[in-house]
Amino acid sequence: MELTVNGAGRSVAAGASVADLVRDIVAQPRGVAVAVNGEVVPRTGWPARALRDGDRVEVLTAAQGG
Amino acid sequence: MPFELGGQTFTSRLILGTGGAANLHVLEQAIRASGTELVTVALRRVGTAPGSTGGLLELLDRCGVRLLPNTAGCHTATEAVKVARMARDAFDTDWVKLEVIGDERTLLPDGVELLRAAEELVSDGFTVLPYTSDDPVLARRLADVGCAAVMPAGSPIGSGLGIGNPHHIRLIRQGVDVPVILDAGIGTASDAALAMELGCDGVLLASAVTRAADPVAMATAMRYAVEAGRLAAQAGRIERRFHALASTPDEGRPEL
């Protein structure tokens, strides 16, 4: 299925969860937060949160900032 | 005397922002030189903004500092509340430097959205440290809704213009019972010292150190400036006089 991840198109296997996607994107999930379609998905909910075709996903992490 | 903020005790009254550092090596040296115990971080898309490619959290761990996530770049209360919740999830802290920007050129806060976001985050259990304007009434309203501190701008973020309205900073200090942290606009050490002399409980700065020609030297200067300003504020300065008052006595002066 096709997602928009951090503003760019990305194909993932059908049935993938947020946890699966995070594992594909970052080496380790520490310091990472996720929102799907503008709603925050807490870390504890990643494995159970199935992604759907067309979902907009933001995968954020620590960056330098004042 | 230690600095109480959000139920925690700090020795240093300097909070350092990580934005603007040329690289993580310089940032680490500057953090260490500053003596800070509380450091801000932003949340950005993985692998995009400086620091988001990895290593920043490990660096902050090594320095032994507490994290203060910010909501930089947010323009509405709704957006800032979401970013704060994502930061809590990412960094396991309910502390947030709440920023809700109302103007692109000055990056000054939108007071209406800021107050709304602060109220919601406080009721959600966050320790809210709002970046606000130097408006004493807004600062009081933020304290009234339960913010753990108020952080008025001395002047626009990154401008290095120092403290534009020292009188308002004093009024803010008198008007709230929570710590007042001068945030934004600091250009050099004397600005930080002045903030403390005005009665501020702490200073938050980033660009003044990270964009200085020698960030490590400036971090050291800021450390001493905050300490010096605090000591001077407590020491009780002399009155300003129109004319001179000799420090050497007239008594015993020879006739030559």
Side-chain angles (χ1 to χ4, degrees), chain B residues 4 62-63 80 86 100 119 129 131 134 137 142-143 154 157-158 165 168 179 187 200 209 220 222 231 234 240 245:
Chain B
E4 300 277 339
R62 281 198 298 279
C63 293
M86 291 181 84
V100 188
E119 211 163 2
L129 311 176
Y131 161 66
D134 63 7
V137 177
L142 288 163
I157 292 172
N165 194 339
H168 272 202
C200 289
V209 161
T220 310
M222 292 301 183
L231 284 168
Q234 292 174 321
R240 287 185 169 84
L245 174 65

mmCIF file of all heavy atoms in Angstrom, chain B residues 4 62-63 80 86 100 119 129 131 134 137 142-143 154 157-158 165 168 179 187 200 209 220 222 231 234 240 245:
data_model
loop_
_atom_site.group_PDB
_atom_site.id
_atom_site.type_symbol
_atom_site.label_atom_id
_atom_site.label_comp_id
_atom_site.label_asym_id
_atom_site.label_seq_id
_atom_site.Cartn_x
_atom_site.Cartn_y
_atom_site.Cartn_z
ATOM 1 N N GLU B 4 15.099 26.356 41.821
ATOM 2 C CA GLU B 4 13.956 25.437 41.797
ATOM 3 C C GLU B 4 13.119 25.731 40.570
ATOM 4 O O GLU B 4 12.670 26.867 40.395
ATOM 5 C CB GLU B 4 13.082 25.644 43.043
ATOM 6 C CG GLU B 4 13.778 25.421 44.370
ATOM 7 C CD GLU B 4 13.828 23.957 44.764
ATOM 8 O OE1 GLU B 4 13.006 23.184 44.244
ATOM 9 O OE2 GLU B 4 14.714 23.602 45.555
ATOM 10 N N ARG B 62 25.605 11.971 27.493
ATOM 11 C CA ARG B 62 27.004 12.058 27.951
ATOM 12 C C ARG B 62 27.215 13.287 28.816
ATOM 13 O O ARG B 62 27.986 13.273 29.760
ATOM 14 C CB ARG B 62 27.966 12.161 26.752
ATOM 15 C CG ARG B 62 28.253 10.872 26.043
ATOM 16 C CD ARG B 62 29.503 10.979 25.194
ATOM 17 N NE ARG B 62 29.425 11.976 24.134
ATOM 18 C CZ ARG B 62 28.835 11.777 22.957
ATOM 19 N NH1 ARG B 62 28.250 10.621 22.695
ATOM 20 N NH2 ARG B 62 28.818 12.726 22.040
ATOM 21 N N CYS B 63 26.540 14.382 28.468
ATOM 22 C CA CYS B 63 26.697 15.632 29.213
ATOM 23 C C CYS B 63 25.918 15.597 30.532
ATOM 24 O O CYS B 63 26.087 16.491 31.371
ATOM 25 C CB CYS B 63 26.239 16.814 28.372
ATOM 26 S SG CYS B 63 27.279 17.134 26.934
ATOM 27 N N ALA B 80 0.803 22.994 18.586
ATOM 28 C CA ALA B 80 1.790 22.971 19.673
ATOM 29 C C ALA B 80 1.465 21.877 20.681
ATOM 30 O O ALA B 80 2.373 21.204 21.186
ATOM 31 C CB ALA B 80 1.836 24.335 20.358
ATOM 32 N N MET B 86 3.903 14.569 21.325
ATOM 33 C CA MET B 86 4.875 13.725 20.620
ATOM 34 C C MET B 86 6.225 13.786 21.323
ATOM 35 O O MET B 86 6.916 12.770 21.456
ATOM 36 C CB MET B 86 4.999 14.159 19.157
ATOM 37 C CG MET B 86 3.740 13.860 18.346
ATOM 38 S SD MET B 86 3.863 14.348 16.611
ATOM 39 C CE MET B 86 4.698 12.908 15.903
ATOM 40 N N VAL B 100 4.535 29.188 20.560
ATOM 41 C CA VAL B 100 3.508 29.301 19.525
ATOM 42 C C VAL B 100 3.761 30.638 18.828
ATOM 43 O O VAL B 100 3.537 31.704 19.404
ATOM 44 C CB VAL B 100 2.076 29.255 20.091
ATOM 45 C CG1 VAL B 100 1.073 29.166 18.942
ATOM 46 C CG2 VAL B 100 1.880 28.079 21.038
ATOM 47 N N GLU B 119 -2.819 26.231 28.853
ATOM 48 C CA GLU B 119 -3.907 25.747 29.698
ATOM 49 C C GLU B 119 -4.155 24.252 29.455
ATOM 50 O O GLU B 119 -4.286 23.470 30.389
ATOM 51 C CB GLU B 119 -5.168 26.552 29.359
ATOM 52 C CG GLU B 119 -6.085 26.720 30.512
ATOM 53 C CD GLU B 119 -7.093 27.835 30.268
ATOM 54 O OE1 GLU B 119 -7.096 28.453 29.176
ATOM 55 O OE2 GLU B 119 -7.891 28.079 31.174
ATOM 56 N N LEU B 129 6.760 25.489 30.274
ATOM 57 C CA LEU B 129 7.632 26.659 30.340
ATOM 58 C C LEU B 129 7.388 27.456 29.055
ATOM 59 O O LEU B 129 7.955 27.142 28.011
ATOM 60 C CB LEU B 129 9.103 26.226 30.440
ATOM 61 C CG LEU B 129 9.433 25.165 31.505
ATOM 62 C CD1 LEU B 129 10.892 24.765 31.431
ATOM 63 C CD2 LEU B 129 9.132 25.690 32.896
ATOM 64 N N TYR B 131 7.467 30.256 26.219
ATOM 65 C CA TYR B 131 8.183 31.382 25.619
ATOM 66 C C TYR B 131 7.129 32.439 25.321
ATOM 67 O O TYR B 131 6.217 32.210 24.534
ATOM 68 C CB TYR B 131 8.886 30.921 24.337
ATOM 69 C CG TYR B 131 9.273 32.051 23.409
ATOM 70 C CD1 TYR B 131 10.228 32.976 23.801
ATOM 71 C CD2 TYR B 131 8.665 32.206 22.167
ATOM 72 C CE1 TYR B 131 10.560 34.031 22.970
ATOM 73 C CE2 TYR B 131 9.007 33.254 21.336
ATOM 74 C CZ TYR B 131 9.950 34.165 21.740
ATOM 75 O OH TYR B 131 10.270 35.215 20.926
ATOM 76 N N ASP B 134 7.237 40.190 26.259
ATOM 77 C CA ASP B 134 7.567 40.865 27.523
ATOM 78 C C ASP B 134 6.360 41.628 28.085
ATOM 79 O O ASP B 134 6.513 42.645 28.744
ATOM 80 C CB ASP B 134 8.792 41.771 27.364
ATOM 81 C CG ASP B 134 8.562 42.908 26.377
ATOM 82 O OD1 ASP B 134 7.417 43.082 25.911
ATOM 83 O OD2 ASP B 134 9.529 43.626 26.066
ATOM 84 N N VAL B 137 1.090 41.439 31.638
ATOM 85 C CA VAL B 137 -0.263 40.900 31.851
ATOM 86 C C VAL B 137 -0.357 39.467 31.315
ATOM 87 O O VAL B 137 -0.871 38.567 31.982
ATOM 88 C CB VAL B 137 -1.325 41.805 31.191
ATOM 89 C CG1 VAL B 137 -2.712 41.205 31.353
ATOM 90 C CG2 VAL B 137 -1.271 43.206 31.801
ATOM 91 N N LEU B 142 -0.346 33.496 32.145
ATOM 92 C CA LEU B 142 0.309 32.195 31.960
ATOM 93 C C LEU B 142 0.616 31.542 33.306
ATOM 94 O O LEU B 142 0.423 30.339 33.497
ATOM 95 C CB LEU B 142 1.591 32.365 31.135
ATOM 96 C CG LEU B 142 1.369 32.672 29.646
ATOM 97 C CD1 LEU B 142 2.638 33.235 29.019
ATOM 98 C CD2 LEU B 142 0.912 31.427 28.891
ATOM 99 N N ALA B 143 1.071 32.364 34.249
ATOM 100 C CA ALA B 143 1.341 31.839 35.587
ATOM 101 C C ALA B 143 0.028 31.398 36.237
ATOM 102 O O ALA B 143 -0.031 30.344 36.888
ATOM 103 C CB ALA B 143 2.041 32.896 36.440
ATOM 104 N N GLY B 154 13.629 38.839 25.533
ATOM 105 C CA GLY B 154 14.281 40.140 25.693
ATOM 106 C C GLY B 154 14.116 40.939 24.410
ATOM 107 O O GLY B 154 13.872 42.144 24.418
ATOM 108 N N ILE B 157 13.927 36.307 18.739
ATOM 109 C CA ILE B 157 14.801 35.123 18.702
ATOM 110 C C ILE B 157 15.946 35.337 17.700
ATOM 111 O O ILE B 157 15.706 35.719 16.554
ATOM 112 C CB ILE B 157 13.978 33.885 18.275
ATOM 113 C CG1 ILE B 157 12.974 33.505 19.368
ATOM 114 C CG2 ILE B 157 14.882 32.698 17.940
ATOM 115 C CD1 ILE B 157 11.976 32.423 18.965
ATOM 116 N N GLY B 158 17.144 35.103 18.145
ATOM 117 C CA GLY B 158 18.297 35.154 17.247
ATOM 118 C C GLY B 158 18.742 36.547 16.850
ATOM 119 O O GLY B 158 19.679 36.694 16.067
ATOM 120 N N ASN B 165 13.122 46.003 26.639
ATOM 121 C CA ASN B 165 12.287 46.718 27.609
ATOM 122 C C ASN B 165 12.553 46.191 29.024
ATOM 123 O O ASN B 165 11.763 45.413 29.570
ATOM 124 C CB ASN B 165 10.808 46.547 27.233
ATOM 125 C CG ASN B 165 9.924 47.531 27.973
ATOM 126 O OD1 ASN B 165 10.315 48.066 29.017
ATOM 127 N ND2 ASN B 165 8.734 47.773 27.441
ATOM 128 N N HIS B 168 9.742 46.239 31.627
ATOM 129 C CA HIS B 168 8.727 45.189 31.568
ATOM 130 C C HIS B 168 9.230 43.880 32.177
ATOM 131 O O HIS B 168 8.459 43.145 32.788
ATOM 132 C CB HIS B 168 8.279 44.961 30.124
ATOM 133 C CG HIS B 168 7.148 45.859 29.725
ATOM 134 N ND1 HIS B 168 6.307 45.570 28.693
ATOM 135 C CD2 HIS B 168 6.725 47.036 30.260
ATOM 136 C CE1 HIS B 168 5.406 46.551 28.595
ATOM 137 N NE2 HIS B 168 5.654 47.450 29.522
ATOM 138 N N PRO B 179 9.209 31.113 38.619
ATOM 139 C CA PRO B 179 10.473 31.622 38.078
ATOM 140 C C PRO B 179 10.274 32.370 36.749
ATOM 141 O O PRO B 179 9.407 32.007 35.952
ATOM 142 C CB PRO B 179 11.299 30.350 37.850
ATOM 143 C CG PRO B 179 10.748 29.367 38.822
ATOM 144 C CD PRO B 179 9.282 29.662 38.900
ATOM 145 N N GLY B 187 22.541 38.645 23.190
ATOM 146 C CA GLY B 187 23.587 38.736 22.182
ATOM 147 C C GLY B 187 24.965 38.453 22.744
ATOM 148 O O GLY B 187 25.794 37.793 22.113
ATOM 149 N N CYS B 200 15.614 38.338 37.036
ATOM 150 C CA CYS B 200 15.265 37.052 36.431
ATOM 151 C C CYS B 200 15.917 35.913 37.226
ATOM 152 O O CYS B 200 16.983 36.086 37.825
ATOM 153 C CB CYS B 200 15.735 36.981 34.980
ATOM 154 S SG CYS B 200 14.775 38.042 33.888
ATOM 155 N N VAL B 209 25.420 31.700 21.844
ATOM 156 C CA VAL B 209 26.563 30.789 21.999
ATOM 157 C C VAL B 209 26.833 30.036 20.695
ATOM 158 O O VAL B 209 27.944 30.064 20.171
ATOM 159 C CB VAL B 209 26.307 29.790 23.162
ATOM 160 C CG1 VAL B 209 27.215 28.575 23.065
ATOM 161 C CG2 VAL B 209 26.499 30.498 24.493
ATOM 162 N N THR B 220 31.370 29.821 28.056
ATOM 163 C CA THR B 220 32.042 30.091 29.327
ATOM 164 C C THR B 220 31.676 31.490 29.830
ATOM 165 O O THR B 220 31.366 31.686 31.012
ATOM 166 C CB THR B 220 33.580 29.989 29.142
ATOM 167 O OG1 THR B 220 33.873 28.753 28.484
ATOM 168 C CG2 THR B 220 34.299 30.047 30.467
ATOM 169 N N MET B 222 28.979 33.164 29.196
ATOM 170 C CA MET B 222 27.582 33.166 29.642
ATOM 171 C C MET B 222 27.431 32.548 31.029
ATOM 172 O O MET B 222 26.644 32.990 31.846
ATOM 173 C CB MET B 222 26.704 32.432 28.631
ATOM 174 C CG MET B 222 26.567 33.145 27.307
ATOM 175 S SD MET B 222 25.864 34.810 27.496
ATOM 176 C CE MET B 222 25.779 35.292 25.767
ATOM 177 N N LEU B 231 24.655 37.320 41.442
ATOM 178 C CA LEU B 231 25.334 37.832 42.636
ATOM 179 C C LEU B 231 25.112 39.323 42.794
ATOM 180 O O LEU B 231 24.835 39.824 43.888
ATOM 181 C CB LEU B 231 26.843 37.535 42.555
ATOM 182 C CG LEU B 231 27.252 36.094 42.843
ATOM 183 C CD1 LEU B 231 28.710 35.875 42.448
ATOM 184 C CD2 LEU B 231 27.043 35.765 44.317
ATOM 185 N N GLN B 234 21.699 40.239 44.063
ATOM 186 C CA GLN B 234 21.518 39.975 45.487
ATOM 187 C C GLN B 234 22.365 40.906 46.341
ATOM 188 O O GLN B 234 22.055 41.142 47.512
ATOM 189 C CB GLN B 234 21.895 38.524 45.801
ATOM 190 C CG GLN B 234 20.936 37.533 45.187
ATOM 191 C CD GLN B 234 21.399 36.106 45.374
ATOM 192 O OE1 GLN B 234 22.595 35.813 45.269
ATOM 193 N NE2 GLN B 234 20.460 35.223 45.639
ATOM 194 N N ARG B 240 22.299 55.320 41.766
ATOM 195 C CA ARG B 240 22.864 56.152 40.704
ATOM 196 C C ARG B 240 22.844 57.591 41.181
ATOM 197 O O ARG B 240 21.862 58.044 41.771
ATOM 198 C CB ARG B 240 22.021 56.026 39.430
ATOM 199 C CG ARG B 240 22.193 54.693 38.728
ATOM 200 C CD ARG B 240 21.423 54.664 37.406
ATOM 201 N NE ARG B 240 21.779 53.512 36.601
ATOM 202 C CZ ARG B 240 21.238 52.305 36.742
ATOM 203 N NH1 ARG B 240 20.306 52.110 37.648
ATOM 204 N NH2 ARG B 240 21.633 51.297 35.994
ATOM 205 N N LEU B 245 30.676 61.124 43.993
ATOM 206 C CA LEU B 245 30.818 60.985 45.439
ATOM 207 C C LEU B 245 32.195 60.370 45.654
ATOM 208 O O LEU B 245 32.421 59.207 45.294
ATOM 209 C CB LEU B 245 29.716 60.066 46.005
ATOM 210 C CG LEU B 245 29.825 59.726 47.488
ATOM 211 C CD1 LEU B 245 29.641 60.983 48.350
ATOM 212 C CD2 LEU B 245 28.812 58.663 47.872
#
